[in-house]
Amino acid sequence: MYSDTNGNALSSTSAIVKHLKPDDLGVPAAPPPPSVVEELEVNKYQAAYAFVGQDDGEMSLEKNDVVELIEKDASGWWFVKKGLEEGWVPFNYLKFLPSKPKPAPAQPPAVPSL
């Protein structure tokens, strides 16, 4: 006959199993949830108006083009990237696009009870 940690008699195998903990069975504890690699926050803007670049380094925009902000200059010109193209545009032609909400992290799988 077996007994639990309090000295109470256990009469069956199922009663023994109910009192065992994962550590008692040599089962390692569940690992922590995997770390989520967060996407780098990219500031995106949408062209509110069309802009025709006229000098070297300026980039033309069509209305509603979406660009990624690279650098802000105090003069009011922002260096942006659209696809593989980069260039300066006047900041007041752009409106900020808020990022989409991130989905909730997946829940770790439930540990089956013994």
Side-chain angles (χ1 to χ4, degrees), residues 18-99:
K18 286 181 184 176
H19 290 281
L20 292 175
K21 298 180 184 105
D23 290 342
D24 298 333
L25 299 172
V27 177
S35 62
V36 176
V37 177
E38 300 219 6
E39 293 181 23
L40 295 175
E41 188 68 31
V42 176
N43 288 325
K44 292 192 177 187
Y45 290 80
Q46 184 174 28
Y49 317 99
F51 171 73
V52 178
Q54 297 177 359
D55 293 330
D56 281 343
E58 293 181 2
M59 183 170 72
S60 295
L61 296 174
E62 297 293 327
K63 183 177 180 176
N64 297 323
D65 278 351
V66 175
V67 296
E68 177 182 330
L69 177 63
I70 306 296
E71 180 184 339
K72 291 180 180 181
D73 188 80
S75 67
W77 288 81
W78 290 0
F79 194 71
V80 298
K81 180 177 181 178
K82 177 179 72 172
L84 299 175
E85 186 181 2
E86 294 179 338
W88 293 96
V89 297
F91 82 96
N92 55 347
Y93 278 62
L94 302 174
K95 60 182 177 182
F96 180 70
L97 282 178
S99 60

